Amino acid sequence: MLAAMAGGPFAAVVPCQVCMVDLHELTPADRLVEGRESDDYRCGKGHRFGLDWRSGPAAEPQWPPDPDLVRAFARD
């Protein structure tokens, strides 16, 4: 039996957490490693980070970002 990946199929691409916090930009990051509880990602700018998915996989696509998130970053 195959173990489910941490973030699931909807988390193959997510907003880069480093770009969001440090640069106030929304940049896609691709999953590099599928873990059981967390996944590792890298964006096109070279930022690497991990996301904890212990509470369960993503229920909807993480990229493109939610329109509310896009609006919030557009105000910056």
Side-chain angles (χ1 to χ4, degrees), residues 45-61:
K45 296 181 180 191
H47 301 129
R48 291 185 72 146
F49 61 95
L51 287 178
D52 185 321
W53 295 99
R54 283 182 283 185
S55 62
E60 58 190 34

Side-chain angles (χ1 to χ4, degrees), residues 19-38:
C19 287
M20 286 174 54
V21 172
D22 293 348
L23 305 175
H24 305 283
E25 296 178 358
L26 292 173
T27 306
D30 296 312
R31 183 168 40 212
L32 299 174
V33 177
E34 301 169 345
R36 292 184 130 174
E37 295 181 346
S38 65

Side-chain angles (χ1 to χ4, degrees), residues 1 3-4 7 18 42 52 57:
M1 183 159 135
V18 179
R42 182 177 57 215
D52 185 321

